[in-house]
Amino acid sequence: MWVRVALPVSLGLWLASLRGVDLGRMKDLGLLQVLPVVFWVALGLLALGFCTALCDRRTPNGWFAGYVLGLIAVIHATPSLLYPTLRYGWAWKHVAIVDAVIRNGGTVPNAGKLELYNQWPGFFQLNAFFLQATGLDSVLGYAAWTPPVFNALLLAPLLLIYRAVTRDRRLIWGAAWIYYSCSWVGQDYFAPQAFAFLLFVTLIALVMAQLPTSARPLPAATPIGWTVGRFAVVLLLEGVIICSHPLTPLMMISALVALSLPRRNRRVVLPVAAGAVLLTAVWDTTVARPYVSSNLHQFLGALVQPDSNVVSGLAQLGTAAPGQVEVSWVDRGLSAAVFLLAAVAFLTRRWTRRTGLPLLVLAPLPLLVANAYGGEMIFRAYLFALPAAALLVAALFFPWDRRPLLRVLAVTPVLLALLGGLLFGYYGKEAANYFTKDEVAAGRFATSTRPGSLIVSVTSAVPGLVAHYDKHPHVQLDEQELSDRQRLARNPLAGLEPFLAHTTAAKPAYIVLSRAQAAECYLNGTLPADTVQRLESQIEKAHGFTTVFRNKDAVVYRYENPAKGGGR
């Protein structure tokens, strides 16, 4: 009875808790600071109800699915329901790329730093095709719901992977719960990497389903291999992954090579791995050749710096906001706990050694050693290892044959601790990821100006600022060289001026300052926390700047270089 009551009650409390949340109070810890107590009560009831469901062998799959989907909704639909606009600056950037693809009928000219997306266009071309087929105006109509929808779609291939390893329903659903409780990296927004990761997990699920495992032993006379139809589907998945994202194909190859190490797997895995290597090589030497060739020296140089690659994503906490330091350490603790628990399961649950799970957990490590990927490789390695690690952790937690009620009392606090760690990583940066309608209006104003005008922002936290990136050059101050950022930190206006030197009356500059940019400076510490405020104060007193747009959360200044005849 409790299982049937806890789910609807917890979901009802969750929805009720979202009324009246004051998003303006978010600071160091993002949504964690503004969500009411009822939200946390709902999450606790959900976890307790799920653990209770695991006690009973007779619990139908439908209730397990309800609890896991309920967890997905609570975690991932909360921002979608609370925020008035699309969350996260990179999601807005990807929306702009889809619009540019449609506007240009394919490859986007004058793409500048976004030229990379012309060389891996699969995700954007697919969305452009969908918009044209349905008659929708923009992906903004559905992009805000990408996180909950993506995670719900991911559930099917996750279950297929786990069913290939065990027939214990409770262990399968427990692993799914663990995955969603620990997936804090946040690569589930409207992005090509989210799309490619979904296809990657689907591909691994199809491969795992073909392998001889302890859960599905095959008679000796049973042929092991691929039918033509299934192999064609696998190659299609590989092709879409390869044309959509540069990193995921390498993770895919690494995972397939790892799965091919046991001799019994090679007949199934080697053809798939060979197809992945061949298709990736063809793509990288043709369509993606400009990017690969221009960065080849950097790739080779990274190979001889494995220690630097591993720790690159863990540095630079000294200038971050105090709450962000706390968030970072919680993220590290959760990640370390997952790998530690997976290792304990490997040692104590001997049956897991006969599966491909340990190999899949280790598969991302060669890429972690080989390249820093802009400081993100350590997080991506965790993400790609997590589907397999989750089942190992579940194998440690969920053998329910003895004293099930006592185990509920023991395991529920652990599940809540994992969820707490997840929410630190997933909600902790929301002060900069959340945008108001006023900020959206400022971004739209700046990009609606005369083509060729320069657009300047302090950080990337401006929604829609690259909406016409093929028509407007863009300068983002916090990604400039160290010397430029040091000058900006000392004197924001003096640091800005070199980037405005070539503006004219015909091609002026538009400087956009906003609430989220100020929040991002404070949170990550790349620039001093008061950079946006100081720059606004200096611009108000400087010659050549005109206020052309202002509201509560943003301001846009127009600048024409007086030396070029554009002064007031």
Side-chain angles (χ1 to χ4, degrees), residues 364 445 560:
F445 175 87
E560 301 167 0

Side-chain angles (χ1 to χ4, degrees), residues 52-389:
T52 306
L54 290 176
C55 287
D56 191 349
R57 292 179 177 272
R58 298 168 298 177
T59 300
N61 282 327
W63 281 102
F64 285 130
Y67 273 99
V68 174
L69 291 172
L71 179 66
I72 292 171
V74 172
I75 295 172
H76 300 288
T78 292
S80 301
L81 291 170
L82 286 177
Y83 296 175
T85 66
L86 178 63
R87 167 183 180 249
Y88 196 40
W90 278 94
W92 281 91
K93 184 175 293 186
H94 297 149
V95 169
I97 294 169
V98 174
D99 291 341
V101 167
I102 295 175
R103 190 169 60 248
N104 291 280
T107 301
V108 181
N110 306 314
K113 292 182 179 180
L114 300 184
E115 175 63 29
L116 172 71
Y117 297 109
N118 282 333
Q119 297 168 41
W120 280 275
F123 171 77
F124 305 105
Q125 295 282 4
L126 180 62
N127 277 276
F129 173 79
F130 178 77
L131 288 181
Q132 292 170 324
T134 58
L136 295 174
D137 293 332
S138 171
V139 294
L140 279 174
Y142 58 85
W145 290 95
T146 299
V149 172
F150 162 81
N151 283 283
L153 292 175
L154 187 63
L155 180 59
L158 283 175
L159 295 177
L160 184 57
I161 290 175
Y162 302 151
R163 281 181 57 83
V165 174
T166 178
R167 291 305 189 196
D168 186 334
R169 293 187 307 113
R170 294 179 295 177
L171 183 55
I172 291 170
W173 286 106
W177 180 279
I178 293 292
Y179 173 84
Y180 290 111
S181 297
C182 300
S183 184
W184 64 266
V185 179
Q187 295 297 314
D188 55 7
Y189 60 98
F190 184 74
Q193 57 265 37
F195 174 67
F197 180 71
L198 173 62
L199 298 184
F200 165 84
V201 177
T202 303
L203 174 71
I204 296 301
L206 294 176
V207 172
M208 292 286 287
Q210 293 291 113
L211 298 178
T213 68
S214 58
R216 187 178 48 83
L218 298 177
T222 302
I224 299 175
W226 295 96
T227 63
V228 174
R230 288 185 178 181
F231 191 66
V233 171
V234 166
L235 289 180
L236 177 61
L237 286 174
E238 290 181 340
V240 177
I241 291 171
I242 289 164
C243 72
S244 296
H245 192 239
L247 176 61
T248 307
L250 303 181
M251 289 290 188
M252 173 178 64
I253 292 171
S254 185
L256 292 172
V257 169
L259 285 176
S260 70
L261 294 178
R263 186 185 300 272
R264 66 181 181 274
N265 292 349
R266 291 176 185 171
R267 186 171 179 180
V268 170
V269 181
L270 284 180
V272 182
V277 171
L278 178 61
L279 290 173
T280 302
V282 169
W283 188 268
D284 288 352
T285 55
T286 54
V287 179
R289 183 177 178 180
Y291 177 82
V292 173
S293 60
S294 63
N295 290 275
L296 185 59
H297 179 73
Q298 178 184 345
F299 298 153
L300 295 177
L303 292 176
V304 298
Q305 301 176 2
D307 54 339
S308 175
N309 296 332
V310 171
V311 302
S312 63
L314 300 179
Q316 300 177 350
L317 287 181
T319 56
Q324 289 303 293
V325 175
E326 182 180 348
V327 167
S328 181
W329 281 108
V330 171
D331 293 343
R332 297 177 189 186
L334 176 59
S335 304
V338 169
F339 285 122
L340 178 61
L341 292 170
V344 173
F346 176 79
L347 295 174
T348 60
R349 303 291 186 262
R350 298 183 61 181
W351 66 268
T352 62
R353 305 176 199 176
R354 301 190 298 271
T355 70
L357 298 177
L359 296 172
L360 290 173
V361 171
L362 297 175
L365 295 184
L367 290 174
L368 174 59
V369 173
N371 198 287
Y373 200 64
E376 292 189 19
M377 187 65 82
I378 190 168
F379 308 127
R380 302 297 178 92
Y382 172 80
L383 176 65
F384 279 86
L386 185 58

